[in-house]
Amino acid sequence: AQTVTQSQPEMSVQEAETVTLSCTYDTSENNYYLFWYKQPPSRQMILVIRQEAYKQQNATENRFSVNFQKAAKSFSLKISDSQLGDTAMYFCAFTWGVLIQGAQKLVFGQGTRLTINP
Amino acid sequence: NAGVTQTPKFQVLKTGQSMTLQCAQDMNHEYMSWYRQDPGMGLRLIHYSVGAGITDQGEVPNGYNVSRSTTEDFPLRLLSAAPSQTSVYFCASSHRGNYGYTFGSGTRLTVV
């Protein structure tokens, strides 16, 4: 079975600081994708960043980057120059499948509540 | 482009009542799925569909039914609501061969 674990239920940092959210996963699959989703108070699920397991290079999206350690099954999210608008729940998620099928299911971690303080 | 539309946004049910949560997407996505979100547990898959006429169970299917008669719609039916079904429900869709899901805005359901 595929599992995703986020060990930090809550985190809090000052505006402009850098923060790293942790995520570990367990799978025997070879072809999989990892995601970080942001859920602000509006409840909307917003894709922040994704990483293909076959790519060695870590994904980056502006102030968001990941540290993907495949052997350790670790997938952390780094937010640089944090902003008040980054305050949200962050979910790590995992999906797998052959390339032609694409993602049929997502498995989520428990979430990390991140607060950016002014 | 509306994306994934869920209705209603809020609902209160009495124990034993039935209802249908609606989900529609206008992106011609083959895959659709329903998740429930409970505090401290993330999102868990209820049912999913890989195309019209094809559905399958996820991690927590008991008490819920689905059908997919068209590509666009994927309703979730609660047969006899129970307080344990109090949750936030999300519908999501994706293209076959793509690894990105688009989520609806969610339905907050309270069963009293």
Side-chain angles (χ1 to χ4, degrees), chain B residues 53-84:
Chain B
I54 306 170
T55 64
D56 205 347
Q57 296 181 349
E59 181 185 355
V60 288
N62 292 340
Y64 307 94
N65 270 0
V66 292
S67 60
R68 183 114 178 258
S69 56
T70 66
T71 299
E72 295 78 19
D73 300 301
F74 191 45
L76 178 72
R77 299 181 186 83
L78 280 71
L79 308 174
S80 177
S84 61

Side-chain angles (χ1 to χ4, degrees), chain A residues 51-67:
Chain A
Q51 174 79 41
E52 295 89 337
Y54 62 87
K55 288 189 178 179
Q56 291 185 335
Q57 186 174 6
N58 289 326
T60 62
E61 289 287 344
N62 301 314
R63 298 182 295 108
F64 299 87
S65 61
V66 299
N67 184 5

Side-chain angles (χ1 to χ4, degrees), chain A residues 3-64:
Chain A
T3 60
V4 177
T5 302
Q6 294 178 248
S7 58
Q8 305 153 312
E10 295 188 16
M11 296 187 72
S12 178
V13 298
Q14 296 299 118
E15 192 176 8
E17 289 183 346
T18 294
V19 59
T20 299
L21 309 182
S22 300
C23 173
T24 58
Y25 61 95
D26 191 21
T27 183
S28 57
E29 299 285 337
N30 289 320
N31 182 44
Y32 57 88
Y33 282 61
L34 294 157
F35 306 87
W36 279 97
Y37 280 91
K38 170 185 178 182
Q39 187 181 43
S42 67
R43 203 169 65 197
Q44 185 68 43
M45 294 291 287
I46 302 166
L47 178 63
V48 174
I49 198 166
R50 77 180 193 186
Q51 174 79 41
E52 295 89 337
Y54 62 87
K55 288 189 178 179
Q56 291 185 335
Q57 186 174 6
N58 289 326
T60 62
E61 289 287 344
N62 301 314
R63 298 182 295 108
F64 299 87

Side-chain angles (χ1 to χ4, degrees), chain B residues 29-111:
Chain B
H29 285 173
E30 296 87 351
Y31 296 169
M32 296 186 75
S33 52
W34 278 100
Y35 295 83
R36 59 176 288 173
Q37 181 181 14
D38 301 297
M41 301 185 74
L43 281 75
R44 292 180 293 168
L45 182 64
I46 305 172
H47 285 286
Y48 68 104
S49 168
V50 298
I54 306 170
T55 64
D56 205 347
Q57 296 181 349
E59 181 185 355
V60 288
N62 292 340
Y64 307 94
N65 270 0
V66 292
S67 60
R68 183 114 178 258
S69 56
T70 66
T71 299
E72 295 78 19
D73 300 301
F74 191 45
L76 178 72
R77 299 181 186 83
L78 280 71
L79 308 174
S80 177
S84 61
Q85 293 178 305
T86 293
S87 188
V88 178
Y89 292 84
F90 286 94
C91 179
S93 71
S94 177
H95 261 310
R96 185 174 186 268
N98 193 335
Y99 285 84
Y101 262 91
T102 301
F103 282 81
S105 57
T107 297
R108 180 175 293 278
L109 175 67
T110 302
V111 182

